[in-house]
Amino acid sequence: MTEFSFYLSEADTERLFAIKELQGLDDLTGNEFARRLLEGELYRQFPAAVKRDEQGSILNADVYRRGKHGTMGDI
């Protein structure tokens, strides 16, 4: 497992906790809930396990579902 560490703006932190509250997931910490949200988005955009060839190129890129905005910079 890989550990990620990052900061959220106050507005995004408020969004995170509002969604958590609206979903009734008070038993989860903010970190646990953020992990679930990120995992859900990762699976939504790339539902299959990544397959690579010997050179490291993605073999199954056809399963990638580009978001409605195209790239992370457009979100």
Side-chain angles (χ1 to χ4, degrees):
M1 217 180 244
T2 303
E3 180 178 332
F4 293 91
S5 177
F6 55 90
Y7 294 97
L8 288 176
S9 68
E10 287 185 35
D12 286 342
T13 299
E14 184 61 27
R15 284 183 186 90
L16 175 79
F17 283 103
I19 294 167
K20 181 176 164 296
E21 179 181 334
L22 291 168
Q23 290 187 6
L25 297 172
D26 298 327
D27 57 321
L28 297 178
T29 67
N31 279 346
E32 291 167 335
F33 185 66
R35 179 185 52 82
R36 283 190 182 188
L37 284 178
L38 177 58
E39 287 174 340
E41 183 61 14
L42 293 171
Y43 279 93
R44 186 187 69 75
Q45 288 194 34
F46 206 105
V50 178
K51 296 178 184 174
R52 296 186 180 270
D53 64 17
E54 296 79 23
Q55 290 75 40
S57 297
I58 299 171
L59 294 172
N60 60 338
D62 59 313
V63 301
Y64 171 61
R65 299 176 184 163
R66 186 175 301 273
K68 64 181 175 183
H69 297 291
T71 64
M72 289 293 294
D74 296 327
I75 290 178

